[in-house]
Amino acid sequence: MSNLIASLDAAVARPSLPELAPGDTVKVHTLIVEGDKERVQVFQGMVIRVRSSGVNKNFTVRRIASHGVGVERTFLFASPRVDKIEVLRHAKVRRSRLYFLRGRTGKAARLRERAA
Amino acid sequence: MQGILGRKVGMTQLLTESGIVVPVTIIEAGPCYVTQVKTAEKDGYTAIQLGLGETKQKRLTKGQIGHLRRRNANLPMLRTLREFRLKNVADYSVGQKILADIFSAGERVDVHGTSKGRGFQGGVKRHGFHGGPRTHGQSDRLRAPGASSSGTTPGRIYKGKRMAGHMGDARVTVLNLRVELVDPERNLLAVRGAVPGSKGGLVLITEARKQSIEFNRAKGK
């Protein structure tokens, strides 16, 4: 019975999207509706977590916006609103949830790069 | 009132074009067979009896086998039989197959099922009582029901007074669920929201009894 659910979930999978890992620096292209027009908005930042599985698999991107304000946004892998994800950089991390970055700014918030 | 029998598969999510998550329950609905048509002349009321779930003949009693064979030799051995009261049964005949495609996406349905059994439960869980205070010198009062009545007047407990007792394992109907998806090939229905019972539990899906005013107007009711 639960296989049936898995097969339904598989139907919404987006194989064109890359696998993400915590520490990756990404550009997420999302479709947003502005008035009656649709345009692509890019959100660039660091993946601080990838959670859940199946249809609900999602990831959170953290970026430092203007005035040094941290902004986090969570995206669903299955969402038709996510147009494209570009992975710019991988980082060497030892944990799956990079919440420690929230308390850090500037140079302290850097991570060591890992070759893909 | 059209209806179909099904088994709850479980819950998942669907996503709309605009990226909104819709929580849905997947129901494996049918294929059902009409096993008996009850008429006013013969039975005193009108209804159709539907059967669900093919099984081995040895799993049924002789009475059940006889019932399935009596009218139409082509009926498979069906494990579960349930009746649906209908006003007009003229369109139905024994042996007729009923599939999930009697419903279409966007329609409203009622879903009847048997809720999960919770066993003997106290008033706090069963009726949402608040329990007693934890502090101020209290002991053994944390989940107590409190007073159940007054004193000399009325001098008895009213019938139906909410108390501890058996919870769950009762017939529950959820009204007006929106059909989000119909897949007649795999006999699947997806309805928005939760449905009573455990996974694999029997559910009855019927056309919604309390439709919106707009719907009833359109139908001329």
Side-chain angles (χ1 to χ4, degrees):
Chain A
M1 286 279 222
S2 59
N3 292 336
L4 205 51
I5 297 271
S7 73
L8 284 167
D9 286 359
V12 297
R14 303 263 306 270
S16 61
L17 295 180
E19 278 290 312
L20 296 181
D24 290 355
T25 303
V26 292
K27 263 187 182 174
V28 185
H29 298 249
T30 54
L31 297 166
I32 62 162
V33 177
E34 213 167 53
D36 52 354
K37 267 186 283 181
E38 206 169 63
R39 68 175 187 88
V40 175
Q41 190 182 54
V42 181
F43 191 87
Q44 182 175 342
M46 190 176 280
V47 176
I48 62 165
R49 70 171 174 194
V50 179
R51 65 187 287 272
S52 196
S53 61
V55 250
N56 194 31
K57 190 174 182 184
N58 60 63
F59 62 100
T60 300
V61 179
R62 178 177 172 83
R63 86 185 189 105
I64 306 299
S66 53
H67 305 296
V69 179
V71 174
E72 287 178 16
R73 229 182 125 176
T74 302
F75 301 93
L76 279 176
F77 276 99
S79 172
R81 301 272 91 185
V82 175
D83 188 35
K84 192 169 71 168
I85 305 172
E86 287 175 69
V87 182
L88 307 176
R89 189 173 178 269
H90 303 282
K92 190 184 166 192
V93 289
R94 299 184 67 157
R95 53 205 71 226
S96 63
R97 305 283 140 102
L98 308 181
Y99 298 147
F100 64 89
L101 289 175
R102 286 174 178 165
R104 297 192 188 180
T105 51
K107 280 189 174 179
R110 290 171 307 166
L111 295 175
R112 193 170 298 158
E113 183 156 4
R114 167 172 66 86
Chain B
M1 187 189 77
Q2 257 187 323
I4 194 168
L5 298 170
R7 298 215 167 260
K8 176 169 164 179
V9 176
M11 291 193 72
T12 182
Q13 302 172 341
L14 298 176
L15 283 140
T16 64
E17 199 59 23
S18 52
I20 293 169
V21 172
V22 180
V24 292
T25 306
I26 307 295
I27 298 167
E28 198 174 12
C32 286
Y33 298 87
V34 177
T35 54
Q36 192 179 1
V37 179
K38 299 210 167 182
T39 56
E41 300 85 63
K42 207 170 170 207
D43 307 285
Y45 64 100
T46 53
I48 56 166
Q49 188 186 60
L50 296 186
L52 174 77
E54 286 184 40
T55 184
K56 289 177 187 164
Q57 190 169 327
K58 68 173 182 184
R59 302 219 191 279
L60 299 181
T61 65
K62 280 184 181 167
Q64 290 171 315
I65 296 164
H67 177 69
L68 293 170
R69 285 220 174 124
R70 199 149 65 122
R71 290 161 192 87
N72 187 324
N74 295 328
L75 275 178
M77 290 296 126
L78 298 164
R79 205 155 65 133
T80 315
L81 304 176
R82 288 288 183 280
E83 239 177 63
F84 290 83
R85 295 288 288 260
L86 296 176
K87 285 222 173 70
N88 187 4
V89 292
D91 304 341
Y92 297 94
S93 58
V94 173
Q96 192 182 335
K97 219 171 174 178
I98 300 210
L99 298 172
D101 60 12
I102 59 167
F103 297 114
S104 56
E107 277 181 0
R108 299 282 175 164
V109 292
D110 295 343
V111 180
H112 319 264
T114 306
S115 59
K116 283 183 183 174
R118 299 282 138 106
F120 192 99
Q121 292 296 336
V124 174
K125 191 184 182 89
R126 192 170 178 224
H127 301 296
F129 291 170
H130 291 286
R134 268 184 286 184
T135 55
H136 296 295
Q138 309 278 335
S139 65
D140 307 336
R141 303 295 310 157
L142 191 54
R143 294 177 72 86
S148 55
S149 189
S150 322
T152 315
T153 317
R156 64 190 174 90
I157 306 274
Y158 292 122
K159 275 196 175 172
K161 178 77 210 156
R162 293 179 301 164
M163 289 189 177
H166 188 270
M167 182 181 172
D169 196 23
R171 185 186 163 97
V172 174
T173 302
V174 187
L175 299 175
N176 261 331
L177 297 177
R178 189 170 186 273
V179 177
E180 295 289 342
L181 189 111
V182 181
D183 184 348
E185 261 163 47
R186 291 196 286 177
N187 299 309
L188 296 182
L189 278 179
V191 295
R192 189 187 180 114
V195 154
S198 53
K199 289 175 190 171
L202 180 75
V203 289
L204 279 69
I205 306 132
T206 59
E207 196 178 285
R209 183 156 52 88
K210 295 179 177 174
Q211 295 276 5
S212 68
I213 295 165
E214 294 82 37
F215 180 91
N216 284 337
R217 250 185 224 139
K219 266 204 153 181
K221 282 182 191 169

